Every structure is written in structure tokens, then in C-alpha cells.
């Protein structure tokens, strides 16, 4: 496996509490990776270390190394704004800014100093198309993003991430607040962009993980129990804890 | 949620074991029918096969239901796949029992060869024991026993060779043996196939335990 993201011996403490207990985990470039495990197992914490979102939490301290495309993202030289452009994030609750759809999608580009309307227009259309929401919003680009349904808002948020052309997309339970049809649209959309991005998705929906991901990692009590190809993890897990969790014996 | 799945798996497990012991009885009856040429027993084997076929259909339908509604994964899913696949093997064993019993009808008035019939009797007892043991291995989920039983299928192949050789030479020496000799070879081939199906079941028991699809035959 060609490693695009490599985390070595990552520990994360919230004050006294050790939320991640020495995680060694890598991801190849491109494809969908699912992080699964019961609540409080550390999977969302792990996701957030990949674009330094935990920096924003006082009392959170981290040790270990995280490299993306060979670069240590915790080096003092790293510009976190730049990092988060390369490593975008989508959250559980759709969080569009209270502006128009167009302004939401171009937000990151404007911060990056792009003002050329033609470039912006072109990027908006491409991103909304990739996010599978273009047909639904193309005539209302200047309407408030808050007027959209939850499923549409989430796809606009994904378009906002795609617009800055990231390498990595982190998704933290992106469909758990959505109905099955909207969830299905997002799953289909992720499958169409899997060849272009390294996607890491935290999900409580095990069927979602098995349906769409190429690789799966199972976390339990701050530890990585097992990681591998999704088809092996779901048919022939190597650890009893994994078998028990995915079969609903606990969690 | 887990409780429903566990109860359904438990029921399927019992139903499969029952089907296995029915298939074993079918073989025993078929052999007895072949040896005794008892018409009533022969028809009993033929009629009973319908029952085995229905059990297979029942298991397939139930297993498909559990997969659709409970969405099992990992070891639960492997258990279900084993039941689906191995129940077809048991069903085929039932078909071979019918063919053996039918040969008993055809051979009734022919000139017999007691020596060959003795080897057939040994061969059929071996196949019957293989089936009974594989059901035990299934019930106890005993991968080691399953592998051992699969190995013992070699003996079935040796019996077949021996019976063919004896039958050919008796047919060459005495043309009155041609009809019975042909039936002996047919019956021995059916018993040999039963050994192969038992080996398939052994492979599925290994799969349940390890997740690996292996060729044991």
C-alpha cells in the first residue's frame, strides 16, 4: 500500500483522559476509508487530528506524528489555514454559512484571494455538480443556503469543501442527521469522487461503511483494534472484538 | 435486535442437523433396500426424498430471510452461507440414495456376486459413517474432525476402484453377470459421489471457522 496519510504512535489527551492510546494507522491516496466503533472510542478525535481541529480544544495535547503526503502537519512551519484547505472537513450537522449558496461555495476561494468571476463561476458549477446538488440549486444560486433542505445543505457543504480542491476530505457522520434518500445521494456522490480524493468517513452506520468504503478501521476505547480491506473486515475479521461489534453483540 | 438473530440462527442450525440425520437415514435405507431388494423399502426411500428436498427449500428461504432482515456480517454471515451451501450438498446426497434404492429394483432378478456385494456393503457403511460424523462435526463446529472426515474420502475412492475391477472381471468371465455387474458399478459410483458431497460439507465447516474457502477433496 502506498501510504498517503501516515499516523505513528498518536496519543491524544483531553486533560488527564487519554482519548487515543498510540494509534498507528495509514491510508492510501484516493478511495474511501471508514472509521467505525462505539461512541467514545476515539474515532472522531482521530479524524480531527488529521486537520488539527483538536488544536482548537484547550487542554487537548497530542504526541506522535502525522504525515500527509510526506509532510509533518504538526511541524511549527505548518500553516493550519493552508492545511485545512488541503484537508477539508464535513460535519454531522450541515453548517452552511448564512449567505447565498454561491457565496458558501466560493468562501474558501475568496479567502485564497481568487476574485476572477469566471474562475469562481466555473468552480461553483463544478463543485456543486461533483456534490450532486447542481441540478437542484442551479437556478437559485443567490438564494440563502439556509433555505435548502438538510440533505441539500449537506451537499452544499461538501461542495464548499470540494471548491478549494483538497487532497483529503474528512467526514464526521455526514449522513446521521439525514433521511435515507438524502443519505443515499451522499453515498452515491462519494462513490463518484472516490477516485479523485482520499476520503475518510466516521460513521455509526455499519451498513454504510460496508456499502461504500474500500477500507475500514475499527476503534475501541481509544485503541485501533483492526484495519484492513472492508471486505475482509466485514466477512472475516481477525479480532473477536471486531466480530462482536459489527455483529451488534455490543456497542 | 441481536436476540432475534441468535434465535433464528439457532433454529436454522437445528433444522440443518435434522436434515443431515434424515439424509443419513436415507442412505441407510437405500443400502438396505439395495441389499434386500425389498420393494416397500425402495419406495419408502423414493417417497422420503421429497421430504429432504422440502427441507432444503425451507432452509434456503429462511436463510435468505435472515440475510435480508437481520443483515448479518462476519461469523454470523459465514454460518448462514454454510447452511445455504451445505444444505444443497445434503439434498444431492438424498438424490443419490434414491438412485441406489432404484438399482435394488433393477437387480432383483439378476445373477448376484456375493463378493462384490460385500465390498459395496463395506463402502456404503463407510459413506454412511462419514455423513453421520460430518453432521456431528457441524453440530459441534469441529473443524479438526471435518478435515479428518474429508481425508477419509480416499477410502471411498479405493472401494470404487476395487468394485469396478471385480465387476469388470466377473462380467468378462460370465456374461450372465453383465446386468448385475453394471448395477454394481452404478451403485458404487453413487456412493462415491456421496463421499464427495460429505467432503463439500467439511469444506463449509472449515469456512465457518476460518473464512477461507478450501479444497479438501
Amino acid at each position: 500500500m502506498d501510504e498517503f496519510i501516515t499516523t505513528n504512535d498518536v496519543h491524544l489527551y483531553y486533560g488527564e483522559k487519554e482519548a487515543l492510546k498510540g494509534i498507528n494507522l495509514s491510508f492510501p491516496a484516493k478511495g474511501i476509508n471508514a472509521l467505525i466503533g462505539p461512541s467514545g472510542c476515539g474515532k472522531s478525535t482521530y479524524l480531527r487530528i488529521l486537520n488539527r481541529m483538536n488544536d482548537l480544544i484547550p487542554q487537548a495535547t497530542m504526541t506522535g506524528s502525522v504525515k500527509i503526503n510526506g509532510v509533518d502537519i504538526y511541524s511549527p512551519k505548518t500553516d493550519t489555514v493552508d492545511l485545512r484547505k488541503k484537508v477539508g472537513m464535513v460535519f454531522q450537522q450541515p453548517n452552511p454559512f448564512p449567505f447565498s449558496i454561491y457565496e458558501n461555495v466560493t468562501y474558501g476561494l475568496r479567502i485564497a484571494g481568487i476574485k476572477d468571476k469566471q474562475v469562481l463561476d466555473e468552480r461553483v458549477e463544478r463543485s456543486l455538480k461533483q456534490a450532486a446538488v447542481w441540478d437542484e440549486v442551479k437556478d437559485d444560486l443567490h438564494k440563502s443556503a439556509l433555505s435548502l433542505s438538510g440533505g441539500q445543505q449537506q451537499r452544499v457543504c461538501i461542495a464548499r469543501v470540494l471548491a478549494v480542491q483538497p487532497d483529503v476530505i474528512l467526514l464526521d457522520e455526514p449522513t446521521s442527521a439525514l433521511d435515507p434518500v438524502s443519505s443515499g445521494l451522499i453515498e452515491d456522490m462519494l462513490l463518484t469522487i472516490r477516485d479523485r480524493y482520499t476520503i475518510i468517513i466516521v460513521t455509526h452506520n455499519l451498513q454504510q461503511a460496508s456499502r461504500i468504503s474500500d477500507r475500514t478501521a475499527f476503534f475501541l476505547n481509544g485503541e485501533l483494534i483492526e484495519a484492513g480491506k472492508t471486505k475482509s473486515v466485514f466477512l472475516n475479521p481477525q479480532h473477536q472484538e471486531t466480530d462482536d461489534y459489527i455483529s451488534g453483540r455490543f456497542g | 435486535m441481536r436476540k432475534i438473530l441468535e434465535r433464528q440462527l439457532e433454529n436454522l442450525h437445528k433444522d440443518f442437523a435434522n436434515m443431515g440425520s434424515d439424509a443419513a437415514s436415507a442412505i441407510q435405507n437405500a443400502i438396505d433396500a439395495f441389499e434386500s431388494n425389498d420393494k416397500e423399502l425402495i419406495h419408502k426411500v423414493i417417497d422420503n426424498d421429497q421430504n429432504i428436498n422440502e427441507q432444503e427449500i425451507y432452509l434456503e428461504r429462511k436463510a435468505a430471510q435472515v440475510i435480508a432482515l437481520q443483515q448479518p456480517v462476519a461469523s454470523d454471515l459465514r454460518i448462514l452461507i454454510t447452511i445455504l451451501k451445505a444444505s444443497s450438498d445434503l439434498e444431492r446426497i438424498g438424490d443419490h440414495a434414491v438412485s441406489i434404492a432404484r438399482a435394488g429394483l433393477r437387480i432383483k432378478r439378476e445373477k448376484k456376486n456375493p463378493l462384490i456385494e460385500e465390498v459395496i456393503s463395506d463402502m456404503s457403511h463407510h459413506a454412511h459413517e462419514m455423513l453421520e460424523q460430518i453432521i456431528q462435526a457441524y453440530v459441534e463446529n469441529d473443524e479438526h474432525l471435518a478435515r479428518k472426515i474429508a481425508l477419509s474420502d480416499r477410502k471411498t475412492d479405493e472401494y470404487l476402484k476395487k468394485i469396478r475391477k471385480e465387476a469388470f472381471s466377473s462380467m468378462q468371465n460370465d456374461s450372465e453377470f453383465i446386468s448385475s455387474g453394471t448395477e454394481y458399478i452404478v451403485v458404487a459410483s453413487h456412493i462415491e459421489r456421496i463421499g464427495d458431497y460429505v467432503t463439500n460439507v467439511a469444506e463449509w465447516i472449515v469456512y465457518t471457522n476460518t473464512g477461507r474457502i478450501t479444497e479438501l477433496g
Side-chain angles (χ1 to χ4, degrees), chain A residues 110-121:
Chain A
R110 286 179 198 275
I111 286 178
I114 299 174
K115 293 193 185 98
D116 185 333
K117 182 148 190 320
Q118 204 184 335
V119 173
L120 293 174
D121 284 354

Side-chain angles (χ1 to χ4, degrees), chain A residues 32-48:
Chain A
I32 302 177
N33 304 276
L35 307 183
I36 60 168
S39 298
C41 69
K43 58 192 187 302
S44 291
T45 301
Y46 178 80
L47 193 74
R48 284 198 291 265

Side-chain angles (χ1 to χ4, degrees), chain B residues 44-66:
Chain B
K44 192 178 156 192
V45 175
I46 295 168
D47 294 344
N48 249 339
D49 190 46
Q50 186 58 28
N51 172 34
I52 292 178
N53 295 347
E54 279 165 15
Q55 290 182 67
E56 188 209 5
I57 292 166
Y58 177 84
L59 283 171
E60 282 174 347
R61 201 170 42 217
K62 280 286 167 191
Q65 247 174 43
V66 176

Side-chain angles (χ1 to χ4, degrees), chain A residues 99-112:
Chain A
F99 322 135
S100 72
I101 296 164
Y102 187 92
E103 285 170 293
N104 262 276
V105 179
T106 55
Y107 188 81
L109 298 170
R110 286 179 198 275
I111 286 178

Side-chain angles (χ1 to χ4, degrees), chain A residues 124-196:
Chain A
V124 165
E125 179 170 345
R126 184 164 21 132
S127 308
L128 288 169
K129 275 182 174 165
Q130 278 190 10
V133 69
W134 171 253
D135 289 342
E136 293 162 57
V137 300
K138 63 177 185 228
D139 300 325
D140 303 308
L141 291 178
H142 296 285
K143 251 173 71 178
S144 167
L146 296 174
S147 67
L148 299 171
S149 75
Q152 289 170 329
Q153 286 185 11
Q154 191 65 306
R155 280 175 284 146
V156 168
C157 291
I158 291 170
R160 190 173 66 197
V161 168
L162 295 175
V164 295
Q165 298 181 313
D167 296 323
V168 181
I169 304 170
L170 309 176
L171 303 111
D172 195 353
E173 296 186 49
T175 63
S176 63
L178 306 181
D179 66 274
V181 174
S182 301
S183 301
L185 285 171
I186 287 181
E187 285 182 18
D188 289 345
M189 182 272 293
L190 291 175
L191 289 171
T192 63
I193 63 169
R194 82 200 303 174
D195 296 338
R196 277 168 280 174

Side-chain angles (χ1 to χ4, degrees), chain A residues 20-138:
Chain A
L20 294 174
K21 303 171 183 170
I23 306 295
N24 296 299
L25 181 59
S26 302
F27 302 94
K30 320 294 185 224
I32 302 177
N33 304 276
L35 307 183
I36 60 168
S39 298
C41 69
K43 58 192 187 302
S44 291
T45 301
Y46 178 80
L47 193 74
R48 284 198 291 265
I49 66 158
L50 298 178
N51 73 345
R52 294 186 54 172
M53 291 290 281
N54 288 317
D55 287 14
L56 308 172
I57 300 171
Q59 294 181 319
T61 49
M62 197 207 92
T63 64
S65 91
V66 181
K67 284 185 181 164
I68 297 181
N69 205 9
V71 177
D72 176 6
I73 65 163
Y74 279 83
S75 138
K77 284 183 241 159
T78 300
D79 172 357
T80 52
V81 174
D82 203 35
L83 170 70
R84 288 176 197 144
K85 222 160 61 188
K86 288 195 182 109
V87 185
M89 191 152 193
V90 177
F91 299 88
Q92 180 177 2
Q93 287 297 333
N95 58 347
F97 304 134
F99 322 135
S100 72
I101 296 164
Y102 187 92
E103 285 170 293
N104 262 276
V105 179
T106 55
Y107 188 81
L109 298 170
R110 286 179 198 275
I111 286 178
I114 299 174
K115 293 193 185 98
D116 185 333
K117 182 148 190 320
Q118 204 184 335
V119 173
L120 293 174
D121 284 354
E122 185 260 327
R123 205 68 81 75
V124 165
E125 179 170 345
R126 184 164 21 132
S127 308
L128 288 169
K129 275 182 174 165
Q130 278 190 10
V133 69
W134 171 253
D135 289 342
E136 293 162 57
V137 300
K138 63 177 185 228

Side-chain angles (χ1 to χ4, degrees), chain A residues 207 233-237 243 246-249, chain B residues 2 71 73-78 207 210-211:
Chain A
Q207 271 79 42
V233 172
F234 276 85
L235 198 59
N236 192 22
D243 197 323
I246 62 177
S247 306
R249 292 187 190 96
Chain B
R2 179 76 211 162
Q71 295 161 13
V73 291
S75 51
D76 296 333
L77 182 59
R78 298 205 302 269
Y207 174 75
T210 64

